[in-house]
Amino acid sequence: MARLAEVSTATVSRVFASDTAVRPETARRVREAARQLGYVPNTLARSLRQQSSATWALIIADIENPFLTQVTRGIEDIAQSEGYSLLLCNTDERPDKEASYLSIAEQFRVSGVLITPTSPTSPVDRLLARGLPVITMDRPLRQDLAVDTVLIDSRRAARAAVDRLITRGHRRIACITGPRRVFTAGERVLGYREALHEAGLPLHESLIRYADFNEQGGHLAAVELLDGTDAGPVEAILVANSMMAVGVLQVLRDRQLRPSIDVEIVVFDDAPWTSLLTPAISVIHQPAYELGQVAGKLLLERLQTPGQPARTVMLNATLPAENTDEDHPPADGLASSHLRHPKPDFQPRRSRARS
């Protein structure tokens, strides 16, 4: 194979070890020679020799969540382009499943782990002690751990969304968010609270509902809200993700309430079905695919240059205006819905280091 590719045997080994120092053209010749000769590398034997495999473990909270599906695609595209495979694990937001998959990742000798942790105390310590790089996505781990983190500023987006609802005249605004232990759920409530406080509106705890990040959770929370609160009838609802929004919309339909007319809805995540609603609902766009790509690139950098300080990269969520109706002007700084938001430049070295 080395003779056919016109390289040394050492270069062949480096190519199949995914050594990024090998020039792309050289790597292409080696892989083409392997294809012509029908060579298939023994990845198990190589992982035993090198104490790691060309595989990343991707541990996500819910594989049915469209947001995490896009995150996965972003990671996969980076991994595949660099010669890595993915071991996909779904925790269903269960700490016991998460612990099991972390153990499996260690047993499989993966090169690195990317995870949406079930809580800030997820047990990644053993992997870090072995020098295995861990990247957290959408949810951080506790500050003393040397892990890179990619987040979306959902607190700011929630605040902007509630600001918009207030400018449209709504006063009894509810918030349906995820479980209390989940970082993003709390961040969205903080943004909600800040918007009400800045507008001088009273905060009614009965208008906040914590529920599972799924359709059933949204359904149960909406029933509780629409059955009545001490604040009076609900006029608008901020919903933490598109899966929960399906449950909310089912409740509105059952009660013959029209979304965006009888009860205004703002939802995180622009799932494809949201564009089919008439009238449209307001949707907060989260750069899920970009988050996955940034996480993949952070893992590549840590594999190439271990020992760097832990970094946090923050991406922005946006709330496009779904129409240009003068009665419903967009909040300050929010873009029009027909504009596509460019992918953020990846500059992890300029991101703030975590203390």
Side-chain angles (χ1 to χ4, degrees):
M1 186 191 311
R3 185 179 305 168
L4 180 60
E6 299 180 344
V7 297
S8 67
T9 55
T11 298
V12 171
S13 298
R14 289 168 60 201
V15 168
F16 287 108
S18 300
D19 187 339
T20 56
V22 179
R23 291 187 303 172
E25 175 57 27
T26 301
R28 187 197 64 77
R29 292 206 316 270
V30 171
R31 295 189 186 281
E32 176 60 22
R35 188 191 65 78
Q36 293 181 27
L37 296 172
Y39 171 75
V40 178
N42 187 332
T43 55
L44 176 60
R46 186 177 68 216
S47 67
L48 290 173
R49 289 194 304 271
Q50 299 179 345
Q51 299 299 304
S52 68
S53 66
T55 302
W56 296 348
L58 174 57
I59 304 175
I60 59 175
D62 185 356
I63 198 170
E64 293 184 345
N65 188 328
F67 170 79
L68 292 175
T69 301
Q70 287 299 309
V71 171
T72 298
R73 183 55 188 266
I75 294 169
E76 181 188 29
D77 286 350
I78 294 296
Q80 192 276 333
S81 69
E82 298 295 331
Y84 288 91
S85 300
L86 285 184
L87 174 64
L88 180 60
C89 309
N90 174 51
T91 69
D92 289 320
E93 297 280 10
R94 286 172 44 189
D96 59 324
K97 287 186 70 176
E98 178 183 74
S100 174
Y101 281 132
L102 288 169
S103 178
I104 289 172
E106 184 178 12
Q107 295 170 29
F108 272 60
R109 303 174 186 267
V110 299
S111 299
V113 172
L114 304 110
I115 183 172
T116 55
T118 59
S119 78
T121 58
S122 294
V124 301
D125 308 65
R126 182 169 173 175
L127 301 180
L128 295 172
R130 287 192 49 210
L132 189 68
V134 175
I135 311 295
T136 65
M137 305 169 297
D138 195 45
R139 309 169 182 181
L141 291 171
R142 63 181 199 267
Q143 290 289 315
D144 62 306
L145 297 177
V147 299
D148 294 326
T149 304
V150 190
L151 302 173
I152 293 176
D153 195 351
S154 56
R155 179 175 178 175
R156 178 176 177 271
R159 186 169 65 243
V162 177
D163 282 342
R164 174 179 292 183
L165 292 171
I166 293 170
T167 63
R168 293 183 178 178
H170 299 301
R171 293 298 177 265
R172 292 187 295 274
I173 303 169
C175 176
I176 297 177
T177 192
R180 291 179 183 271
R181 71 175 186 277
V182 178
F183 172 80
T184 49
E187 286 292 288
R188 288 162 195 179
V189 172
L190 285 174
Y192 164 84
R193 291 176 182 271
E194 288 170 354
L196 294 178
H197 176 74
E198 290 168 5
L201 294 178
L203 173 65
H204 297 274
E205 294 294 338
S206 64
L207 290 175
I208 302 174
R209 286 293 183 272
Y210 295 90
D212 290 337
F213 266 134
N214 55 34
E215 181 179 325
Q216 182 180 17
H219 188 282
L220 292 173
V223 167
E224 292 175 356
L225 287 170
L226 295 176
D227 277 348
T229 70
D230 58 15
V234 171
E235 299 171 349
I237 307 175
L238 172 66
V239 186
N241 75 7
S242 60
M243 297 174 68
M244 301 178 94
V246 172
V248 173
L249 293 172
Q250 288 173 346
V251 175
L252 294 181
R253 179 200 61 194
D254 294 343
R255 301 189 180 206
Q256 298 183 335
L257 296 172
R258 298 163 295 175
S260 301
I261 298 176
D262 299 315
V263 179
E264 187 154 5
I265 304 294
V266 181
V267 56
F268 275 83
D269 303 332
D270 45 355
W273 60 263
T274 58
S275 63
L276 303 177
L277 297 177
T278 304
I281 63 175
S282 298
V283 177
I284 299 169
H285 168 73
Q286 296 196 97
Y289 178 83
E290 293 87 344
L291 185 151
Q293 289 219 311
V294 170
K297 291 176 181 178
L298 282 172
L299 180 52
L300 284 173
E301 280 205 358
R302 192 156 288 281
L303 288 169
Q304 294 163 8
T305 53
Q308 306 176 63
R311 297 162 293 176
T312 295
V313 177
M314 183 73 77
L315 305 179
N316 289 322
T318 52
L319 175 60
E322 52 288 332
N323 58 56
T324 57
D325 187 345
E326 292 182 357
D327 293 333
H328 300 294
D332 291 343
L334 300 177
S336 174
S337 61
H338 68 272
L339 299 177
R340 298 305 301 166
H341 303 286
K343 296 181 180 179
D345 294 333
F346 176 71
Q347 296 176 320
R349 289 192 177 87
R350 296 183 182 178
S351 304
R352 60 184 176 87
R354 295 172 58 193
S355 56

